[in-house]
Amino acid sequence: MKGALGVVFPPQCLCCGAGVASQGALCPACWREAEFVGASACARCGVPVPGEPPQSEDEAAALICDDCLIRDRPWRRGRAALVYRGTGRALVLALKHGDRPDLAPPLGRWLAGAAAPLVRPGMLVVPVPLHPRRMLKRKYNQAALLARQVARAHDLPHCPGLLVRTRHTGMQDHRGVADRFANVASALAVPPRQRGAVQGRAVLLVDDVMASGATAAAAAEALRTAGSGPVCVAVLARAVREAPPRAAGDAE
Ligand SMILES: [Zn+2]
Ligand SMILES: [Zn+2]
């Protein structure tokens, strides 16, 4: 069966469509442009930090980037699978705008791997929601597609209805960092009927990309306000300072 399918659909690079040896892989050119985040990463936001990889769990938890020292990060730990440039950026944009929901299983597995150190038994996996208006336009919430894969990989409950957008925040791309935080603050909430479900529960918040971290902060704030336990954040790609997202429709 697999062989027969291989004849009709030979395996293609996830990113560019070039022929590859196996399904769900990157071609050598896209692999070179993919920056997977290793152990040397900020414990809060997942951005790679220079230096030797941490030798213990305590050392890993103490690695905090400059941004996270000055920004409000109302969550405990965070991990990212990729840096948001090159192949990482191309894959995020393809999943978000390119009608490529088929990317969710392989990318979700990468994210599940990156999030593994954050996982605790019984944790709720909660995607950052889209506003209903944007949902109509895009047909799917890419964060929820990824969250479903992460939940499945770690055998945790997936709770896509636990957070909702209370107002439309518009595109964040052309806003400054302070403006992004102000714009998205209190735009997310746990609906009253869901408050019982979140009481005291540890939450793994999932999004496709983190730029300023304003959206994750608003989401974590909403969860904590509703009575959740500690919140951790897992994103497919983390924007780095050298290459801030600029193109239309980029990260929030
Ligand atoms: Zn490729
Ligand atoms: Zn950080």
Side-chain angles (χ1 to χ4, degrees):
M1 183 65 182
K2 208 173 166 196
L5 280 174
V7 173
V8 185
F9 300 111
Q12 292 183 321
C13 170
L14 288 177
C15 191
C16 74
V20 288
S22 62
Q23 217 61 258
L26 293 170
C27 74
C30 291
W31 179 261
R32 272 194 302 277
E33 296 298 313
E35 298 170 71
F36 287 90
V37 178
S40 262
C42 172
R44 205 65 34 82
C45 74
V47 77
V49 291
E52 293 295 306
Q55 298 302 308
S56 67
E57 185 50 34
D58 283 351
E59 271 184 47
L63 267 186
I64 304 289
C65 76
D66 292 348
D67 265 2
C68 290
L69 290 175
I70 56 164
R71 301 252 166 256
D72 192 18
R73 306 294 200 207
W75 64 86
R76 185 169 287 185
R77 295 285 294 270
R79 295 285 296 165
L82 288 153
V83 172
Y84 185 69
R85 67 183 161 205
T87 297
R89 181 171 178 276
L91 288 170
V92 164
L93 293 179
L95 177 64
K96 184 180 253 181
H97 302 295
D99 272 327
R100 293 283 314 272
D102 61 293
L103 285 173
L107 300 185
R109 279 193 292 275
W110 292 352
L111 181 51
L118 310 176
V119 168
R120 299 288 175 271
M123 208 173 204
L124 307 177
V125 181
V126 177
V128 169
L130 282 184
H131 190 274
R133 209 187 306 163
R134 208 177 282 179
M135 185 79 174
L136 271 180
K137 213 163 68 182
R138 296 216 187 126
K139 314 233 171 25
Y140 60 83
N141 174 4
Q142 69 282 357
L145 297 189
L146 292 170
R148 186 196 299 158
Q149 299 296 331
V150 171
R152 189 176 292 166
H154 291 292
D155 199 18
L156 296 171
H158 179 221
C159 310
L162 227 144
L163 269 178
V164 295
R165 295 258 173 189
T166 52
R167 59 185 169 80
H168 195 64
T169 49
M171 297 310 256
Q172 293 268 68
D173 314 348
H174 304 291
R175 294 172 186 273
V177 170
D179 199 18
R180 286 180 182 211
F181 274 81
N183 182 47
V184 76
S186 76
L188 295 160
V190 176
R193 67 177 186 286
Q194 298 281 9
R195 285 186 169 232
V198 75
Q199 285 311 308
R201 300 291 295 267
V203 173
L204 182 63
L205 184 70
V206 172
D207 208 353
D208 56 344
V209 56
M210 181 190 294
S212 66
T215 303
E221 205 67 74
L223 288 161
R224 300 287 290 150
T225 301
S228 83
V231 176
C232 289
V233 180
V235 295
L236 181 62
R238 174 72 170 104
V240 293
R241 198 192 284 277
E242 298 81 44
R246 279 289 172 263
D250 266 15
E252 287 187 10

